[in-house]
Amino acid sequence: MSSDQTPATPADAPHDGQDSPFRSERTPRDEAPQFVLPLVVRIERAAPPARTDALETAARAVLVILSDERSLGEGEWARAMRDWQDARIRKVVRRARGAEWRRAEALPGITVTGKSAEVRVFPPVPLDGWPKDLARLQVSGTDLDDPEPPVEADPAAPVLWLNPDLEMSAGKTMAQAGHGAQLAWWALPDEERTAWRDAGFPLAVRAADPSHWRDLTTSGLPLVQDAGFTEIAPGSCTVVADHPALRRN
């Protein structure tokens, strides 16, 4: 599922808040070459991953590629990562199984595993220039279930809180969780980023209680607002990124 977002701009995000890649209205960033961050979730017929685990694994995959040395400085993916962040921030989640997954794994990228989920994230590609082995994968209809209700989130750990009033496919929600994780990463000081990375990016994705959601959206924590191209209305608030270090700030 493809997704753009229009969150409140974090203070240290790598862009000018007046020309944000998340604004719903057209900006000069729309004139720049457009890129997308591809994510592929492995969904085998006989053993699909649990929904919450897939959401959390996708969010971690975004953080892993943002912090990978190949994405930084003069790394081999750094130019693509900069070009992607200089335009709109787009993420597309596709699904694969069997030979499709094996072909996807052969392309440059990083596979992140959860308890039952596998998600491979790739360096950004032009919006209209996907590698053929990724372009042929299905986008729509990616949905998953949780065999058991997720355990309560640890309040001392990072949590990506989902809007309880929205219904989104698993693919759409994976992209939104990735957006929330990226906003948290941008908002953290370097020391906290390093600590989170060194710990393996622990996080939870949970639906907020309605009363808690109202408080979260006015808390000043990073907030994802969707541009409304798919599934939900423009401007819908989808995720609040609640990291302990951000609460302290």
Side-chain angles (χ1 to χ4, degrees), residues 104-190:
E105 278 205 307
L107 298 174
I110 305 169
T111 297
V112 177
T113 59
K115 295 176 182 177
S116 61
E118 291 180 78
V119 175
R120 189 163 179 84
V121 61
F122 303 86
V125 298
L127 193 59
D128 57 355
W130 284 66
K132 64 179 181 179
D133 285 332
L134 297 183
R136 68 181 61 174
L137 299 177
Q138 292 294 313
V139 179
S140 62
T142 300
D143 216 344
L144 300 165
D145 295 311
D146 279 316
E148 299 179 359
V151 299
E152 187 173 344
D154 181 356
V159 183
L160 303 174
W161 294 106
L162 303 175
N163 186 335
D165 297 323
L166 293 178
E167 292 187 6
M168 298 182 288
S169 68
K172 176 76 171 181
T173 313
M174 288 169 70
Q176 297 296 311
H179 296 338
Q182 186 168 2
L183 290 187
W185 178 255
W186 280 351
L188 288 171
D190 289 343

Side-chain angles (χ1 to χ4, degrees), residues 52 55-57 59 150 158-162 173 177 203-207:
T52 296
L55 303 181
E56 294 171 348
T57 304
V159 183
L160 303 174
W161 294 106
L162 303 175
T173 313
L203 58 84
V205 179
R206 297 290 187 274

Side-chain angles (χ1 to χ4, degrees), residues 16-37:
D16 181 342
Q18 297 303 312
D19 186 21
S20 167
F22 305 124
R23 294 170 68 91
S24 56
E25 61 269 27
R26 194 167 184 83
T27 78
R29 292 181 181 275
D30 290 289
E31 307 306 322
Q34 299 296 301
F35 289 78
V36 61
L37 187 78

Side-chain angles (χ1 to χ4, degrees), residues 53-66:
D53 190 39
L55 303 181
E56 294 171 348
T57 304
R60 283 197 301 274
V62 171
L63 293 165
V64 167
I65 198 167
L66 285 170

Side-chain angles (χ1 to χ4, degrees), residues 224-240:
V224 179
Q225 292 178 272
D226 193 67
F229 295 127
T230 59
E231 295 194 25
I232 57 179
S236 297
C237 297
T238 60
V239 178
V240 172

